[in-house]
Amino acid sequence: MHRLRAGVVGVGSFGSLHARAYFENPSTELVAVADVDQARSVEVARRYGAKSYTDYEEMYRSERLDLVSVATPDNLHVNPAVKAAEAGIHILVEKPIAMTLEDADRIISSAARNGVKLMVNFILRFDPRYRAAYERVSSGGIGEVVTMWGRRTTLLETARKYGKFSNLLHDVIIHDIDMFNLMSLSEPTQAYCVKVRKACRELGVDDAYLGIVRYRNGAAASFETSWVLPSSSPHWLDARLHIVGTGGAIYIDLQSHGLEVVEDVKFSRPDLSNWPVVGGRLMGNLREAVNHFVECVAGDKEPWPGGADARKALAVVLALSESAETERPVALG
């Protein structure tokens, strides 16, 4: 069986998981990774028997890749993705697709022009709970969607790590924005948002956002997001989604993953959803997303979600950001 030749650009915390997913997938051969941090590139490459590069363009020229994951920092997705498309390599880019609509359009148009597949990694679409909720909503199981509410709060150390090149809207709550867009079965028309800055003032980023998104079919979504939880929190992520319809409701709660561990000095709720390692193998939503991308490339199918859905989520995020600055609602569409 022909195995697809896979590469990864950016092998930090997320990119190294992509590398592992390709390494463990029987349909792919992880042939190379690239990272500007040479030591990190070498370490991940050695772990999975791949070649190490510090220049992704050199990797593209040398390795005849079939597909690549772009897992660089949020503000550095554009050039690796565009260059991959120009080299004829299918692309899986971590969310957000980009920081601006102009850059998102560059990636989308380059992929289309060069005939390569483009997927953006919104891993909640591969969580069985969110997927089951979407199937119930889209089949009319709870009637017409009336309201949606989402919470996504995480640790202060996340702000210290990711606030250097991104923000809560682009990096964290965009997951729920994508879910709102999907579950609404409609198009966003207006966004309103307020921000709070206290604990993260010295970092130069906001602590929290609270917002509302309205949809063309009359549905409305509200959310709260922050990254100020202390390191002593029993969970690194408190995520929930409520959907109320004219004929029912759906509730998703990821505060507990069904496993609680009590030790002498610690109580924890390990993540069993996103990228847990169980039995020596990577499991969870991220693995399923990577496997879906591989299946689409191998079977010549369109990946889900593609560039259009990622652009829509980004447009809402940018409208929310503008609203938080101006303290006024912002129209969409």
Side-chain angles (χ1 to χ4, degrees), residues 7-10 32-36 41 51-65 68-70 72 76-89 106 110:
V8 179
V9 180
V33 301
D35 197 291
V36 292
S41 178
K51 292 183 182 179
S52 167
Y53 291 85
T54 55
D55 182 342
Y56 63 83
E57 291 190 65
E58 182 184 356
M59 180 177 74
Y60 293 167
R61 288 192 299 268
S62 303
E63 296 300 338
R64 297 179 292 107
L65 298 178
V68 69
S69 282
V70 175
T72 49
L76 298 175
H77 288 172
V78 183
N79 289 339
V82 169
K83 293 293 184 181
E86 292 172 350
I89 303 168
R106 283 185 60 200
S110 183

Side-chain angles (χ1 to χ4, degrees), residues 240-303:
R240 311 180 197 194
L241 177 67
H242 296 177
I243 307 168
V244 176
T246 57
I250 293 173
Y251 303 97
I252 299 173
D253 185 349
L254 268 62
Q255 188 177 32
S256 171
H257 294 270
L259 175 65
E260 297 183 342
V261 179
V262 180
E263 300 169 291
D264 286 343
V265 295
K266 186 179 180 182
F267 168 67
S268 62
R269 291 170 171 154
D271 172 25
L272 295 178
S273 299
N274 295 304
W275 42 82
V277 175
V278 181
R281 292 183 63 83
L282 180 68
M283 308 290 280
N285 307 334
L286 189 142
R287 185 193 71 166
E288 292 304 312
V290 171
N291 289 353
H292 169 73
F293 176 59
V294 171
E295 290 169 4
C296 288
V297 172
D300 194 22
K301 298 181 291 186
E302 286 304 309

Side-chain angles (χ1 to χ4, degrees), residues 38-311:
Q38 184 175 25
R40 184 162 56 197
S41 178
V42 168
E43 192 276 327
V44 173
R46 284 178 177 169
R47 188 188 310 163
Y48 300 119
K51 292 183 182 179
S52 167
Y53 291 85
T54 55
D55 182 342
Y56 63 83
E57 291 190 65
E58 182 184 356
M59 180 177 74
Y60 293 167
R61 288 192 299 268
S62 303
E63 296 300 338
R64 297 179 292 107
L65 298 178
D66 296 302
L67 49 86
V68 69
S69 282
V70 175
T72 49
D74 293 355
N75 60 338
L76 298 175
H77 288 172
V78 183
N79 289 339
V82 169
K83 293 293 184 181
E86 292 172 350
I89 303 168
H90 302 289
I91 312 155
L92 170 57
V93 61
E94 269 296 336
K95 61 80 206 157
I97 185 172
M99 299 297 284
T100 68
L101 292 178
E102 292 77 13
D103 282 344
D105 288 339
R106 283 185 60 200
I107 295 173
I108 294 168
S109 62
S110 183
R113 187 168 57 251
N114 290 283
V116 301
K117 299 188 186 304
L118 170 64
M119 175 176 163
V120 182
N121 191 25
F122 283 98
I123 62 174
L124 291 187
R125 294 193 180 210
F126 298 90
D127 185 303
R129 291 157 293 196
Y130 286 86
R131 185 65 175 267
Y134 171 62
E135 291 177 357
R136 187 64 59 90
V137 169
S138 61
S139 67
I142 62 168
E144 295 182 43
V145 172
V146 177
T147 61
M148 298 172 283
W149 169 79
R151 170 187 289 167
R152 191 159 296 267
T153 61
T154 188
L155 304 176
L156 180 58
E157 63 189 60
T158 306
R160 295 192 179 105
K161 182 176 182 179
Y162 295 104
K164 299 173 184 177
F165 53 79
S166 192
N167 56 68
L168 267 170
L169 293 173
H170 280 82
D171 191 66
V172 179
I173 201 62
I174 195 169
H175 284 292
D176 299 271
I177 298 302
D178 179 59
M179 283 294 104
F180 293 157
N181 290 346
L182 193 65
M183 302 287 187
S184 71
L185 308 179
S186 186
E187 297 296 317
T189 59
Q190 188 184 69
Y192 178 70
C193 190
V194 297
K195 62 181 180 178
V196 178
R197 182 175 294 195
K198 291 185 177 182
C200 296
R201 186 175 290 113
E202 293 183 0
L203 299 175
V205 295
D206 296 314
D207 295 12
Y209 292 92
L210 292 88
I212 298 172
V213 182
R214 297 182 64 90
Y215 289 86
R216 185 164 292 129
N217 63 0
S222 63
F223 69 84
E224 57 181 276
T225 185
S226 67
W227 48 14
V228 294
L229 291 178
S231 58
S232 58
S233 174
H235 43 261
W236 68 271
L237 178 68
D238 178 3
R240 311 180 197 194
L241 177 67
H242 296 177
I243 307 168
V244 176
T246 57
I250 293 173
Y251 303 97
I252 299 173
D253 185 349
L254 268 62
Q255 188 177 32
S256 171
H257 294 270
L259 175 65
E260 297 183 342
V261 179
V262 180
E263 300 169 291
D264 286 343
V265 295
K266 186 179 180 182
F267 168 67
S268 62
R269 291 170 171 154
D271 172 25
L272 295 178
S273 299
N274 295 304
W275 42 82
V277 175
V278 181
R281 292 183 63 83
L282 180 68
M283 308 290 280
N285 307 334
L286 189 142
R287 185 193 71 166
E288 292 304 312
V290 171
N291 289 353
H292 169 73
F293 176 59
V294 171
E295 290 169 4
C296 288
V297 172
D300 194 22
K301 298 181 291 186
E302 286 304 309
W304 184 77
D309 282 354
R311 188 189 192 280

